[in-house]
Amino acid sequence: MSASKLRQKKSAPAFESWGRYPRLPATLVPLYWMEEFPPADRPVASMLPVGMGRSYGDVCLLENGTLLHTTTLDRFIGFDPKTGLLRCEAGVTLAEILKFAVPLGWFLPVTPGTKFVTVGGAIANDIHGKNHHVAGTFGRHVPRFELVRSDGMRLECSPIQNSDWYAATIGGMGLTGLITWAEVQLRPIVSRKIVYHGTKFVGVDAFLELSQGAKNAEYSVAWIDCVAQGKNFARGIFMRGDHSPEPSILKPSRDPRLTLPVDLPSVLLNKYTVEAFNALYYRKQLGREKRALVDYEPFFYPLDSILHWNRLYGKDGLLQFQCVLPFEDGQQGILRILKAITSSGLASFLAVIKVFGDVPSPGMMSFPAPGITLALDFPVRRDVSFDLLERLAYITVEHHGKMYPAKDACMTALQFQSFYPQWREFAHYVDPAFSSSFWQRVSGVGAINLAAATSTAGLGNALV
């Protein structure tokens, strides 16, 4: 691929991430072969790799820049059926891995709440799942990958080879260069089924007690009602699951058949409709306890069955917020966040609470840390949404927690630099030609002039 192709900007349509806020103009250039990068002549400022765009804010956006679309790097390179070690290009999605690996008796080591993310994106955001307390983050299961810098340097990275680049790139938000291929260590399964156990609870203390009792479960997470008040305040359903040990036919999954074809009117998602939804969701489980054998698809990916479900929030989109608060006084912090939501009158449609374990993340900038994590989403209402997100961020700061860049569209530079004090060290690994709107917002570093910053040292000097 030539640099002139990378520079073509005849049109600059607006791109959006999954949250659909903000929408920013950029040029999208697909990469079909790993050798197409870097361009044959001089590099172009400024670029950012982007996969399925399932991040919620602007971590996968670059205003007026070039987005290197990696979903066309979607080839499997090698697989060892005895060990479950898979090597694939970075644009392969988790859904494609599942379709290939499940019939062979292998499963993802860590998966988020959607399978429509690429391997490169999973590494760049060091994603986590319902098994963080026992398995840690996705990056822990990536023994090796290739990183290509805009100056042509190719680095094979592992915990022992170019280990500093390995640590900077896992959770590095796609800023250290282009990941071309990666290895993923899959885990064996004998069935598609999950042994499910659901328990109703009321109160954050009850949730923590259930989490403590589920330490040996492979997966655990809870839905929490952010609207209910009074005796039902902080009620929810705690869900734990384990892969079934009983062998059964390992059929591949079918593609989703439902889609939300249009944006729904944003007024449909208000406090009253969310209250009604939450009441129904809480009552869908009749008794306090429920045990069942369920397929892995609805257990891990309940929203993936409807394509474009984000249109539920209307054309203005949604804001995600995810924080983790240390255990020390995290319970009080979570209670303050829940009370701030109920007093705002802005309801969260989907609220998830979980306990992170102490399995260390390999990434320098990884989000998970021991404590309580809460994920929320809110429709964009310009009169209240941003004020509420600011209050939630303030509570996070006061309780010594941190927020998740992959979910964020509002974090200030001061907050980011407080949450991630290692950001200055990380900045030395950022490719001079790479940037994102998120990075420019939280680091104060705009698009880099390549003539002035032709090395990481130059970039470092520009930062201090």
Side-chain angles (χ1 to χ4, degrees):
M1 178 175 54
S2 67
S4 58
K5 184 177 178 182
L6 275 179
R7 284 195 208 96
Q8 58 181 336
K9 293 183 179 179
K10 294 180 180 178
S11 62
F15 287 91
E16 58 190 25
S17 58
W18 192 247
R20 311 183 71 186
Y21 175 88
R23 295 182 175 93
L24 300 174
T27 299
L28 192 69
V29 175
L31 293 176
Y32 293 101
W33 301 100
M34 292 188 287
E35 293 74 18
E36 287 185 313
F37 184 84
D41 43 15
R42 71 183 182 86
V44 177
S46 185
M47 299 177 277
L48 180 71
V50 59
M52 296 291 285
R54 284 297 182 117
S55 299
Y56 282 80
D58 52 359
V59 74
C60 64
L61 300 177
L62 177 57
E63 186 172 11
N64 296 318
T66 297
L67 299 176
L68 305 174
H69 203 203
T70 63
T71 56
T72 37
L73 294 175
D74 58 354
R75 289 165 278 259
F76 292 99
I77 299 172
F79 178 67
D80 186 335
K82 294 181 179 177
T83 65
L85 184 65
L86 171 71
R87 180 181 287 202
C88 62
E89 292 182 336
V92 169
T93 66
L94 301 190
E96 290 166 335
I97 292 178
L98 290 169
K99 185 174 287 188
F100 164 76
V102 167
L104 300 176
W106 295 94
F107 197 74
L108 294 166
V110 168
T111 180
T114 176
K115 59 183 178 181
F116 298 124
V117 300
T118 64
V119 168
I123 296 172
N125 293 289
D126 200 14
I127 59 172
H128 57 272
K130 298 177 177 67
N131 59 347
H132 181 272
H133 59 292
V134 292
T137 62
F138 189 84
R140 290 190 74 250
H141 308 274
V142 177
R144 193 176 302 275
F145 59 80
E146 183 186 64
L147 179 73
V148 181
R149 303 273 289 178
S150 62
D151 62 2
M153 183 169 63
R154 309 183 86 87
L155 298 166
E156 193 165 305
C157 303
S158 75
I160 57 174
Q161 186 177 6
N162 296 310
S163 57
D164 53 344
W165 291 98
Y166 180 81
T169 301
I170 294 176
M173 299 168 282
L175 296 168
T176 61
L178 178 72
I179 301 170
T180 54
W181 57 261
E183 292 178 348
V184 183
Q185 180 59 62
L186 305 180
R187 57 146 297 162
I189 57 171
V190 297
S191 169
R192 290 179 56 95
K193 298 296 184 181
I194 297 292
V195 181
Y196 170 83
H197 182 188
T199 304
K200 286 184 173 180
F201 65 88
V202 178
V204 177
D205 52 346
F207 158 75
L208 290 173
E209 185 176 341
L210 287 167
S211 295
Q212 181 70 19
K215 276 188 171 181
N216 294 325
E218 291 183 271
Y219 306 100
S220 67
V221 71
W223 164 81
I224 192 166
D225 187 341
C226 288
V227 183
Q229 301 186 52
K231 66 178 183 180
N232 291 324
F233 179 71
R235 68 179 177 179
I237 300 176
F238 186 87
M239 295 166 273
R240 55 178 290 178
D242 298 276
H243 287 284
S244 173
E246 299 296 330
S248 63
I249 298 175
L250 291 163
K251 295 179 180 177
S253 297
R254 290 184 297 188
D255 293 330
R257 295 180 175 180
L258 300 176
T259 185
L260 198 57
V262 297
D263 297 325
L264 295 186
S266 56
V267 295
L268 290 182
L269 206 63
N270 54 54
K271 177 183 176 182
Y272 303 104
T273 56
V274 173
E275 277 182 355
F277 169 82
N278 283 6
L280 285 172
Y281 192 88
Y282 186 73
R283 293 186 176 89
K284 75 168 187 173
Q285 179 174 314
L286 298 178
R288 181 176 182 273
E289 305 283 344
K290 178 182 178 181
R291 297 175 189 271
L293 202 58
V294 300
D295 189 83
Y296 80 79
E297 287 276 354
F299 180 77
F300 289 108
Y301 315 114
L303 292 174
D304 279 352
S305 59
I306 304 175
L307 295 175
H308 303 296
W309 65 260
N310 55 344
R311 292 172 177 166
L312 179 69
Y313 289 84
K315 60 182 177 57
D316 290 333
L318 69 147
L319 297 169
Q320 266 262 349
F321 169 86
Q322 184 166 4
C323 69
V324 57
L325 305 183
F327 287 116
E328 284 69 25
D329 66 344
Q331 182 175 349
Q332 292 305 313
I334 296 296
L335 288 171
R336 286 183 64 191
I337 288 175
L338 295 178
K339 289 175 181 175
I341 295 169
T342 54
S343 64
S344 74
L346 195 68
S348 175
F349 181 57
L350 296 170
V352 175
I353 187 169
K354 177 177 166 50
V355 164
F356 280 151
D358 57 4
V359 182
S361 300
M364 186 185 298
M365 299 290 286
S366 296
F367 163 69
I372 311 168
T373 182
L374 182 64
L376 309 158
D377 53 28
F378 303 97
V380 173
R381 303 274 194 272
R382 297 193 180 274
D383 52 341
V384 290
S385 303
F386 296 96
D387 288 346
L388 175 61
L389 268 290
E390 185 177 345
R391 290 176 62 193
L392 302 189
Y394 181 76
I395 295 171
T396 302
V397 172
E398 284 207 324
H399 288 266
H400 308 291
K402 60 179 176 178
M403 292 158 53
Y404 192 9
K407 300 286 185 72
D408 179 74
C410 302
M411 202 185 308
T412 67
L414 192 61
Q415 289 164 352
F416 171 77
Q417 293 166 23
S418 169
F419 298 148
Y420 298 90
Q422 68 276 33
W423 77 277
R424 283 189 179 277
E425 178 188 359
F426 168 73
H428 291 276
Y429 293 92
V430 174
D431 191 299
F434 280 39
S435 188
S436 71
S437 292
F438 174 85
W439 182 244
Q440 293 172 15
R441 174 162 57 87
V442 301
S443 70
V445 179
I448 300 300
N449 183 334
L450 290 183
T454 55
S455 68
T456 53
L459 177 59
N461 292 336
L463 287 171
V464 296

